[in-house]
Amino acid sequence: MLKSFLLFSAVVLVTLAPTPTLGARPQEATPAPAPAASGAKNTVKPTPESQAKAKKLYDVDCSMCHGDNGNGQTDLAKSMELSLGDWTDAKTLAGKQDGELFDAIRKGKGKMPAEAEGRADDHMVWNLIIYLRNFSKPQPVTPAK
Ligand code: HEC
């Protein structure tokens, strides 16, 4: 009796087991997080427009610590006791790869908050890097009127 009951259950289980529907697809895999950019090269070609946007974002999100001219001498940096590199000196960033700077901006570094994708997409982050590397180049002089 028990034996036939077990057999019966087995049959029921097999029949009820969900059969894969024809054409059913495995669930879409959620996209893996973007790989860390360390070692990545900056392939973005800056345009006057993209650099103007980068400047705008820099002035809002970055300059309070790093300074309008990138020298890192700001009241906020002093009050937070940050030791910030002086980007007006080309030597400061000379040894750093773009990929390192990208990671610092995207993930944050020390007391620096991460810049989220929602505020700056990858294209913008690369433009920011170009923008801040330019602090050590001769700045365009606004012609006197
Ligand atoms: C709250 C102040 C603060 C703000 C705002 C800030 N940073 Fe920073 N940033 C820092 C500090 C502090 C460091 C150095 C961290 C360390 O070396 O430990 C740093 C480091 C960096 C570095 C790495 C430099 C290096 O030598 O490795 C880059 C690049 C950078 N910041 C870019 C930016 C950009 C771009 C923004 C705006 C989107 C920004 N930061 C906003 C405080 C700030």
Side-chain angles (χ1 to χ4, degrees), residues 46-57:
T47 64
E49 293 75 31
S50 72
Q51 283 295 289
K53 280 192 196 150
K55 177 188 173 6
K56 228 172 166 178
L57 187 65

Side-chain angles (χ1 to χ4, degrees), residues 37-51:
S38 311
K41 289 255 181 314
N42 193 350
T43 53
V44 165
K45 295 269 170 290
T47 64
E49 293 75 31
S50 72
Q51 283 295 289

Side-chain angles (χ1 to χ4, degrees), residues 2-3 11 21 24 33 38 45 62 68-69 72 74 76 89 110 115-116 121:
L2 180 66
K3 205 173 165 190
V11 171
T21 334
S38 311
K45 295 269 170 290
C62 323
D68 289 340
N69 64 356
T74 57
L76 186 56
D89 184 346
E115 186 76 351
D121 59 14

Side-chain angles (χ1 to χ4, degrees), residues 58 61-62 64-66 76 80 82-84 87 92-93 96 101 104-105 109-113 115 128 132:
Y58 180 91
D61 280 4
C62 323
M64 70 280 224
C65 285
H66 291 285
L76 186 56
M80 285 178 75
L82 308 175
S83 58
L84 298 179
W87 296 336
T92 310
L93 292 174
K96 307 257 180 188
L101 304 184
I105 297 168
K109 193 175 176 192
K111 290 188 179 158
M112 174 166 114
E115 186 76 351
L128 280 170
L132 57 86

